[in-house]
Amino acid sequence: MSKRADLAFEKKPWKLLFWTALAGLIFGLIGFGEIAEDYLRTVRNTLHPHKASGQLVVIKIDDASLRQYGNWPWPRRLQGELTDRLTAAGAHRIFFDILFDYPGEKSNDRLFADAIRRSGKVVLGTRFKVGSQDGALIASRPIAPLAEHAQLATISFRYNYQNAVWQLPYAVRKGGETMPSFAAALADASGRPGSSFTVDYSTDVNSIPAISAGDVLSGRVPAASIAGKDVVVGTDSDLIGDRYFIPGYGRGGGVYVHALGAETLRYGKPVHIGWVPGFLIAFCAGAAALLRRRFAERVALFTVAGAMLVVAPVFLEARLIFVDVTPGIFVLLIMGAVLAWRRYRTRGLVNPVTNLPNLNALRTNREGRKQTLVALRVLNYEEIVAALPPNSESKLVDQIVSRLKVGAPKRVLYQGDGGIFAWFEQTGQPVGNHLEALYALFRNPARISGLSMDLTVAFGVEVGSGRSIANRLASALVAADEAAHDGLKWKYHDPETLENASWKLSMLSQLDEAIDRGEVWVAYQPKLDLATRRITGAEALARWTHPEKGPIAASEFVAAAEQSNRIGKLTDFVLEKAVAAGAQINKRGSSFEIAVNLSARLLADKGFTLRLSALLARHGLDADRLTLELTETAALAGSGEGLDMISRLRDIGVHIAIDDYGTGLSTLDYLKKIPANEIKIDQSFVKGMADNRSDRLMVQSTIGLAHSLGRKVVAEGVEDREILELLHEMDCDIAQGFAVGRPMSLDSLTKRIAFDRKRSAA
């Protein structure tokens, strides 16, 4: 895809890199890819297998040994006998991966202690755990008679969700005493106490010599198989336990973990460089891809980076250099998927000659639904193209585009066939003045390949009628044609606005009269406490039933009243009814809260607080039973004056709610700045929770953030039971919507509350 098309469709590419990198950092820091990392390392181990050194022998107490010498634990005289036989066979050192931290039968303990003394080569295991006092390490040590003539090493290690051990300690420290791990002692390796190393599971477990303890005790083992070697005695039976998952092998005794750790250290000193290098490779590849405009180049960059993350660790780990790659792979997958999706979305949305987004792209622009749509017709476009040299049409378009972007260099232009161009303007902008200026620019001829061409143009404007963008575009083009026919520079086309102009002009004057005549009334939409499943409040909503036009949409007359600064009378009316209703319900013994929307314009009304206090006193409603809801933008409108008003309302005890949260500012700074008691998550996010993972995450994170700041959370637009239960699982406080109850009269609301109370009592 060309540079121009990418600029049109790839919205904020560096923002994509930032958020993906941030997600990758979090991914790495919390170890989210541990399962995948372990699997990948296990697969890589199969690509560089090697055999054990042969200098270490495992003496396993297995099922055959148990059948021959009885159930576990054995009397310690058998361990003494085993020590004598191994010593006689010439074992270099004898390690017991068995805890002897409690006294046994005295004579048996003495026999084992004597064998340890005679051998002088025995290493016994200790176990360490984190203590409760000052993090001190508390050891389970062999009993004194056994430890007197033995060396000590720790057999402790950490295992993961899979019961696998990937890291072993070099040594541990208790007080002033440093004790090596079994693996380090077996390999005669040293390391800083508290540090650990990665076990190399590419060592073939089956290549480690293993002998049944029963065969040793029975004298059936030739001395040559033991002489000069270190031996590790440990259990390897499901009947005893102490078994772990050994990657690439399966379940095995813990003794093999120590043996493999020792083989790792005999081969070299492992280095674990972590996940940061892989993450940086992916980040650099992503940044480089965003600098490329050809999709093939991006694919090549991601492929090379991915190959590095997959293949390079094979060679590194064969040399005991361990690296984690899943955070880097995560970054590559996310960025690659997003860029591929954007490319897929833009196929068929670009003019093949000029690489500008075409009219199909315009029709898919959801953001333009509420914006003014402007269309340009170059009336003699085809004639000019026919007169130009071959392959010169893009030069003509460049000149048209450069003129249309005067005063708005970031404007996104859409090109259709036959000299059609369109774009969106923000509603409320002085479109007419701007089009006059653009028309003047087109009076200058275009110069292309040495030819001077006059451009004949006309503009059409569709101001926003709520119809589909395709219909609005057709209307704008019709307006452009009408402008050309009438000899005008530009023309509006909005039939719906013209048809209803007289009604809209008279609506506000009728609204004031409608309030006095009783045509305006208040409906109450119940709010459900998700913890108790009881109706504990309601939102008061203005309704207007016109005698001729029937019900008038609240969004229409409330918005018009607010824009014309005539919202005061309507708000006072709703507050009067709502406070009276709240007082009535509370006097019947219910703990009930009533909520009313508050216009941003009233935040500048210095007498509002006094009127509200008098209203609450007159009806006997406690101030904390009233919640005033403000939209996000309204709460921060303009200056500190609105915040001061909100603080005064809080001072008299009234609760403040942030309405339609998520559609406006929605920042942590915003939440900290507004002294609100609760936030209402906008219904556009709530309705999409069941099917849209992004909406679900937004709702869940908002609940967590609000609760951490001491705010209650109300979810509006709850229309089915599935979403209601999801919100309950997320610890949302209050639900509001059709699944709880539709807006209803006060009489219906009181009956609903009474029914709720009876059901709870039952």
Side-chain angles (χ1 to χ4, degrees), residues 496-579:
E496 184 175 330
T497 299
L498 294 175
E499 180 182 341
N500 294 315
S502 60
W503 155 247
K504 290 186 176 180
L505 288 171
S506 64
M507 180 175 61
L508 291 176
S509 62
Q510 292 189 46
L511 175 60
D512 290 344
E513 296 173 4
I515 294 173
D516 297 333
R517 290 196 301 264
E519 296 171 11
V520 178
W521 54 286
V522 176
Y524 301 89
Q525 186 167 31
K527 298 163 79 171
L528 179 73
D529 187 312
L530 289 170
T532 64
R533 297 303 175 107
R534 295 184 60 184
I535 301 301
T536 58
E539 181 179 0
L541 302 168
R543 293 291 183 261
W544 182 5
T545 305
H546 193 276
E548 296 176 1
K549 292 184 171 289
I552 308 299
S555 59
E556 184 177 356
F557 70 84
V558 173
E562 188 167 23
Q563 291 168 10
S564 301
N565 202 18
R566 299 179 67 175
I567 195 68
K569 183 172 181 177
L570 179 61
T571 301
D572 288 344
F573 171 81
V574 175
L575 272 171
E576 179 76 34
K577 296 293 185 183
V579 170

Side-chain angles (χ1 to χ4, degrees), residues 455-475:
L455 298 171
T456 306
V457 301
F459 298 92
V461 182
E462 210 278 352
V463 297
S465 57
R467 298 176 298 157
S468 70
I469 291 180
N471 288 339
R472 294 181 58 206
L473 175 62
S475 295

Side-chain angles (χ1 to χ4, degrees), residues 312-374:
V314 176
F315 297 97
L316 292 174
E317 290 175 3
R319 292 157 179 79
L320 296 185
I321 301 173
F322 295 91
V323 60
D324 296 336
V325 297
T326 52
I329 292 174
F330 171 79
V331 170
L332 290 179
L333 288 176
I334 294 298
M335 287 201 66
V338 172
L339 292 176
W341 172 247
R342 287 180 176 176
R343 174 179 168 79
Y344 170 77
R345 289 289 303 273
T346 60
R347 297 178 77 89
L349 302 178
V350 177
N351 186 292
V353 176
T354 63
N355 289 314
L356 278 174
N358 61 23
L359 298 183
N360 287 332
L362 178 138
R363 295 184 183 100
T364 64
N365 189 334
R366 295 183 178 181
E367 295 178 1
R369 291 181 178 178
K370 297 181 180 180
Q371 296 176 314
T372 298
L373 177 59
V374 183

Side-chain angles (χ1 to χ4, degrees), residues 238-262:
D238 284 325
L239 298 174
I240 301 175
D242 192 36
R243 290 173 68 78
Y244 298 87
F245 178 76
I246 299 175
Y249 174 75
R251 284 171 56 80
V255 64
Y256 285 102
V257 175
H258 299 300
L260 288 167

